[in-house]
């Protein structure tokens, strides 16, 4: 399986992310910019070994202003 594009909307620190991936991809960045959140979003979709309990999203997984909290 080749992943050529990833779109994430309203998940944790991502309001809207659209990334085109080439043949090789490296994730780098400062602390607290969303590297782990990006990988977890991929894992939610792609990892069949992830238990259903880990797939259940919590209110905190959605951006507060997208939930209506202001």
């Amino acid at each position: 399986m080749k992943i050529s594009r990833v779109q994430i909307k309203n998940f944790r620190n991502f309001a809207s992310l659209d990334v085109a991936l080439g043949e090789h991809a490296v994730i780098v960045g400062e602390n607290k910019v969303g590297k782990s959140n990006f990988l977890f979003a991929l894992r939610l979709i792609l990892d069949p070994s992830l238990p259903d309990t880990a797939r259940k999203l919590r209110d905190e997984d959605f951006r507060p202003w997208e939930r209506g909290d202001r």
Side-chain angles (χ1 to χ4, degrees), residues 20-59:
L21 302 174
E23 188 173 335
H24 302 283
V26 178
I27 301 170
V28 295
E30 296 180 18
N31 292 341
K32 303 286 184 185
V33 296
K35 299 178 301 288
S36 295
N37 290 340
F38 180 82
L39 293 174
F40 184 65
L42 289 178
R43 187 171 182 217
L44 281 171
I45 302 302
L46 299 174
D47 186 356
S49 69
L50 190 66
D52 288 341
T53 55
R55 292 183 195 280
K56 185 173 182 179
L57 298 177
R58 305 161 297 169
D59 282 343

Side-chain angles (χ1 to χ4, degrees), residues 5-9 16-19 38 41-42:
R5 184 176 178 188
V6 176
Q7 291 180 309
I8 301 173
K9 294 184 184 202
S16 180
L17 176 72
D18 190 351
V19 179
F38 180 82
L42 289 178

